[in-house]
Amino acid sequence: MTVQTPPEPGHYPSAPPWTGQPEPQHAPYPPQSWAGQPEPQQAPYPQQTPYPPQSWNGQPEPQAWNSQPEPQHGHHAAQPWPGQQAPDPGHYPSSPPWAGQPEPEPEPPPAPHTAPLFGGTVAPYGSPENKHGQLLVRFPGEVHDLNRPVAPSWRPVVAWTFVLSALGIISVLRRSSQARRYGRPRRPYWIAFAVTLVAGAAFWWAAVINVAIPLYHYHQESGLTEQLQTSLVSDSRVTKKFGAVSAVECTSDSDRDAEGVRTYLCTFELSTGKTNGMYVNADTEGNWREKE
C-alpha cells in the first residue's frame, strides 16, 4: 500500500506523483489571509511631481497671471503662446491664436422690383388677407351681392316720418330688420328717419305759427261778428234810433285791445229800403255800445 504525503501550503504539483519527473519550481503565490490572519498592506505608489513650466524662447515664463496661480491640469500646466494673453481661469479658446476673425457674410442682393399683376396677387396661406374660399376676382364683394335679395326702399320711411313724426320709427325698425336678413346695410333707413324728422318738425312748426294760429283767430272773430250782428237786429236801441231794421252787416275796424274790445263799422238796412250806419265797440261776450 502506497501512502502519499500532502504537499506544503503554496506548493501544488502540476503532475501526478507517480510520473517520477521533477516538478518545475514556480514563484509562490502571495500569502492569503487564512483562518482570520490579516493580509499584509502594500505600500502606495509614490506621487509624481508635475513638470516645471518651460519657456519657448529660453526665457522663464511667469508662474502666475495677475498674481494668481495658473490652474494645473494633470502633470503639465497650460502655458500661453508667445505674445498671447493668457485666458481667464475656466475660459480657453477653441481656435489657435493664428486663426483670424470670421469674415462677415455678404448681404443678399435685393429682390428685383416687379410690376403688380392685374387684379392683385394672392396672399400666402395662413395670412389674414388670405380667406379660405374667397373668389379670386378683383372685387369679390360685388360678386357676393349679386345673389342677395334687393333691400326694401327707404322712401316709405320718409313719407311715414313726415306724416307721423316720431311714429315713423315703426317703419324704420321693420325695414331695417328685413335688410339685415338680406345681408344689406341698415344705415340708409336710420339716416332717412333722422333727416326727415328734423325737416318735418321745422315744417310743421312753421305751418302752425303762420297758418294754423291765424286761421283759428279768423274763425273765432267770424263767430263773434255774427253774434254781434244778431244782437243788433233785435236791439231796442237800434230800433229807437233808426227804426225797423231788416239786416245788419259789421266789419272790424281795429284790433282788439287788452280788455278784448274791438271797434266795428255796422251798416243797417231799414225796412223802408234805406241804409244807415254807425261805429260800435263790442267785446267777446257780444256786449256793445255806440262809439263816441
Side-chain angles (χ1 to χ4, degrees), residues 149-287:
V150 180
S153 177
W154 51 267
R155 292 178 177 83
V157 176
V158 175
W160 286 108
T161 305
F162 184 79
V163 175
L164 301 178
S165 186
L167 294 180
I169 195 173
I170 300 175
S171 177
V172 175
L173 295 175
R174 185 173 62 86
R175 293 178 178 275
S176 63
S177 61
Q178 187 175 1
R180 181 180 181 182
R181 290 194 301 268
Y182 293 165
R184 299 293 184 176
R186 297 176 295 171
R187 185 178 300 177
Y189 307 100
W190 292 101
I191 294 176
F193 171 74
V195 173
T196 307
L197 183 64
V198 174
F203 172 80
W204 290 116
W205 182 257
V208 167
I209 294 177
N210 298 325
V211 178
I213 294 177
L215 185 63
Y216 171 75
H217 289 164
Y218 174 77
H219 285 287
Q220 186 179 15
E221 291 297 334
S222 297
L224 295 176
T225 302
E226 291 178 0
Q227 182 180 359
L228 176 62
Q229 291 175 166
T230 303
S231 62
L232 288 175
V233 169
S234 58
D235 196 289
S236 59
R237 290 175 293 178
V238 176
T239 304
K240 184 178 179 181
K241 185 175 182 180
F242 298 108
V245 177
S246 59
V248 180
E249 183 178 357
C250 297
T251 58
S252 61
D253 188 61
S254 66
D255 296 334
R256 293 188 181 276
D257 57 9
E259 297 179 357
V261 179
R262 192 173 191 181
T263 303
Y264 293 91
L265 175 59
C266 296
T267 302
F268 301 93
E269 292 183 5
L270 304 178
S271 57
T272 58
K274 297 181 180 181
T275 60
N276 204 345
M278 69 175 180
Y279 287 96
V280 298
N281 293 332
D283 58 8
T284 57
E285 300 295 333
N287 301 321

Side-chain angles (χ1 to χ4, degrees), residues 8 10 94 98 144 147 157 163 172-173 208 282 289:
E8 296 179 1
S94 58
W98 57 81
H144 288 296
N147 296 328
V157 176
V163 175
V172 175
L173 295 175
V208 167
R289 69 173 182 269

